[in-house]
Amino acid sequence: MGQLLLMFVLALLPIIWLVIALCVLGLEAHRASLGALATCAILAAAVWGMPVPDLATAALEGVLMALWPIVIVIVAAVFTYNLTVHTGAMETIKGMLTSVSADRRVLVLLIGWCFGGFLEGMAGFGTAVAIPASMLMALGFDPLLAILSCLLANGVPTMFGSIGIPTTTLASITGLDPVRLAVTQALQVAPFVIVTPILMVMLVGGGARALRGVLPITLAAGISVSLSEVVAAQFVGADLPMVVAAVVSLGVTFLIALRSNAEVPAAYALAGGDETGGEGAGGEAAPANGSAGVGEALRAWCPFLLIFMVLVLTSKLVPFVHEPLSALRSTVNVYSGDPEATLTFSWVNTPGVLILACGFVGGLVQGCPPADMARVLVATIRQMSKTIVTMLCVLACAKVMGYSGMIASVAAFFVGTLGTLYPLVAPILGALGTFVTGSGTSSEVLFGTVQEQAAASIDADPYWLCAANSLGVSAGKMLSPQNIAIGTAACGLIGKDGEVMGRIARYAFGFVAAMALFVYAGVLLGA
């Protein structure tokens, strides 16, 4: 028992360092993550006996995985937003959005929750934080609140993100039926889906009093997602629950907002806006932009409409497009410790390439010269440079922890010491995996089989415990340093990662505690 505990504590040291460095010492994320990688490398070599060549190639695999597809998709997403600002199209978008509602509480639901959920369902990899947070900031939201609300919104959709890859991956490695697994996940996450929009409104409105007057639309935004996810999981499968749910929720929320004639209290109206819910709130230019003609509106929204159409057309929904593009890929073995450990690079059918292409085409439609677009792209890469370093270090650290056995030591401690109380930590493992890697899929790979084996050892339903891993992913995604770095870079708050982590931690810890009790109760009731 003492050996298990010692190895458990040592395995967590890189994570402990990262939290202390960000939240206590106030280090910038890229410096903190470099320290975490160094700590991880020393422990992997000295305690777990990882050979130096294996250590180096494990870290290299993490770096390459971070670069492609994660870094490219984040750069592409922020570039698209920056380009719409550069061309002036964002002013038109702002005017149109505020013509629907000048209420910050409603706009955070439409942009952060509904649109962000769609981006997570289709693309993932941080796009659901970068783009909505940038748009909210452009509308006049406090940048910190914009980031926090989008981090909160990005948690619960993650299990069905990127066309359901985390769920289908979990089903594949455990041998569970993907449809039954997806339905179990949708039922487990439903209460947290309904609660999340309520918390978002309270966050941007400054407390529970902010729900006054908008509780019906807030509940509709959450309930429409939860019901749609269950139905889509049952009748469509594991790939599309979040995409279907986001589209349904966007339609429901938009229609309710459009039909509302209630006055917007001054405390919740956008700065410089009219307080009559149906008028623009973006200053003097907002009314004109809100009544933009069809051509002007299409030009302004062009990059985002293209992203929507291209992501759908290249997804599994359209196999005759998806399959040929997906075939343009390379598979390599980077990690020297296992010839079976491969890394696949999709050169065309990956969200980063597709979003970048849509950004350039959208810029041309908006009349932006190619030279200007190139300058915006270079400026975006500079803007994201520290975030890129953070992501490279975090993914390298995650790979070293995984290959060396550090992650296995964490799992072994929980499984070996808790017995029938294990369900209490099942979602905590899912959260831990996502915190370290920034990826729901990676968390499923790290701990999916652990959850299945634990279910067998305590005679619990494997679908319930494996779904609990995905449930925990929701909390870990909010708190992931990688996701936080994406948000701070997109909103110009680089160096504020520790402050963001400290603020979002209360939600993440609250979620994971409630999830632990919920999962344990389910096991006791025979779920």
Side-chain angles (χ1 to χ4, degrees):
M1 183 66 70
Q3 179 73 9
L4 271 178
L5 178 60
L6 176 62
M7 298 299 280
F8 170 75
V9 172
L10 289 175
L12 288 179
L13 281 181
I15 299 172
I16 293 170
W17 156 257
L18 196 57
V19 173
I20 291 173
L22 289 173
C23 298
V24 179
L25 301 180
L27 294 184
E28 291 185 88
H30 68 289
R31 298 183 188 278
S33 59
L34 279 168
L37 178 57
T39 303
C40 179
I42 292 168
L43 288 169
V47 179
W48 277 265
M50 192 177 198
V52 173
D54 291 356
L55 176 59
T57 52
L60 177 60
E61 182 178 314
V63 166
L64 293 175
M65 180 181 286
L67 285 171
W68 199 283
I70 299 172
V71 166
I72 186 175
V73 77
I74 301 308
V75 170
V78 177
F79 164 72
T80 302
Y81 166 77
N82 287 345
L83 194 59
T84 60
V85 173
H86 178 78
T87 62
M90 187 52 66
E91 290 302 313
T92 301
I93 291 172
K94 285 165 58 178
M96 293 178 68
L97 287 171
T98 53
S99 71
V100 175
S101 176
D103 193 324
R104 287 184 288 120
R105 301 167 297 175
V106 174
L107 289 169
V108 80
L109 294 175
L110 286 169
I111 298 171
W113 176 247
C114 301
F115 183 52
F118 173 78
L119 287 173
E120 179 63 30
M122 290 302 304
F125 298 113
T127 53
V129 174
I131 293 177
S134 301
M135 293 177 73
L136 289 172
M137 186 181 68
L139 286 169
F141 279 64
D142 176 89
L144 183 60
L145 291 182
I147 296 167
L148 290 170
S149 60
C150 289
L151 287 172
L152 189 54
N154 190 222
V156 288
T158 305
M159 62 178 66
F160 296 122
S162 303
I163 314 295
I165 289 177
T167 296
T168 54
T169 299
L170 179 59
S172 175
I173 64 175
T174 57
L176 299 177
D177 175 59
V179 173
R180 183 178 169 187
L181 177 61
V183 172
T184 306
Q185 289 174 323
L187 290 170
Q188 271 192 6
V189 81
F192 303 95
V193 167
I194 295 170
V195 165
T196 298
I198 295 173
L199 294 177
M200 292 173 66
V201 168
M202 291 171 60
L203 175 66
V204 300
R209 66 183 182 278
L211 292 168
R212 191 175 303 160
V214 294
L215 185 58
I217 191 173
T218 305
L219 288 173
I223 292 171
S224 59
V225 169
S226 62
L227 291 177
S228 299
E229 281 189 330
V230 174
V231 173
Q234 179 66 62
F235 296 104
V236 181
D239 296 332
L240 296 173
M242 193 57 229
V243 176
V244 172
V247 171
V248 171
S249 184
L250 183 60
V252 169
T253 308
F254 181 82
L255 287 175
I256 295 175
L258 202 59
R259 295 181 64 180
S260 174
N261 294 316
E263 276 195 11
V264 180
Y268 309 121
L270 291 176
D274 201 316
E275 294 179 14
T276 61
E279 300 296 331
E284 293 182 4
N289 289 337
S291 58
V294 174
E296 183 184 357
L298 287 175
R299 279 193 297 274
W301 283 97
C302 180
F304 303 105
L305 292 173
L306 284 173
I307 289 171
F308 176 90
M309 291 186 293
V310 168
L311 289 177
V312 170
L313 287 172
T314 56
S315 72
K316 295 177 183 177
L317 292 173
V318 190
F320 64 88
V321 176
H322 172 79
E323 290 171 8
L325 291 180
S326 296
L328 300 174
R329 59 185 182 181
S330 301
T331 300
V332 296
N333 169 241
V334 178
Y335 176 54
S336 60
D338 182 5
E340 300 297 319
T342 58
L343 192 60
T344 299
F345 299 94
S346 294
W347 300 117
V348 177
N349 199 16
T350 188
V353 172
L354 299 173
I355 292 173
L356 194 62
C358 292
F360 276 111
V361 173
L364 290 174
V365 171
Q366 292 171 358
C368 187
D372 280 10
M373 287 192 282
R375 281 192 286 271
V376 172
L377 179 58
V378 170
T380 299
I381 293 172
R382 287 178 182 155
Q383 173 189 351
M384 301 294 294
S385 58
K386 291 181 179 179
T387 302
I388 291 171
V389 172
T390 300
M391 288 188 279
L392 298 182
C393 292
V394 168
L395 264 293
C397 186
K399 283 295 180 181
V400 172
M401 290 183 72
Y403 283 132
S404 67
M406 296 170 73
I407 293 293
S409 294
V410 173
F413 173 78
F414 285 131
V415 174
T417 60
L418 293 175
T420 56
L421 294 176
Y422 174 80
L424 285 169
V425 300
I428 295 174
L429 283 179
L432 179 64
T434 309
F435 176 84
V436 173
T437 66
S439 164
T441 303
S442 297
S443 183
E444 309 290 24
V445 172
L446 287 172
F447 295 120
T449 54
V450 173
Q451 307 282 15
E452 184 185 30
Q453 292 163 8
S457 69
I458 63 173
D459 197 27
D461 180 4
Y463 285 91
W464 185 257
L465 278 195
C466 287
N469 196 82
S470 306
L471 188 64
V473 161
S474 303
K477 187 72 169 179
M478 298 178 199
L479 203 56
S480 165
Q482 176 182 302
N483 227 26
I484 291 172
I486 290 165
T488 55
C491 292
L493 292 184
I494 294 173
K496 298 288 186 179
D497 302 72
E499 183 179 353
V500 174
M501 180 175 283
R503 291 282 297 274
I504 199 66
R506 68 189 72 175
Y507 298 99
F509 291 154
F511 265 55
V512 82
M515 289 167 177
L517 294 174
F518 182 73
V519 170
Y520 185 63
V523 172
L524 291 180
L525 294 171

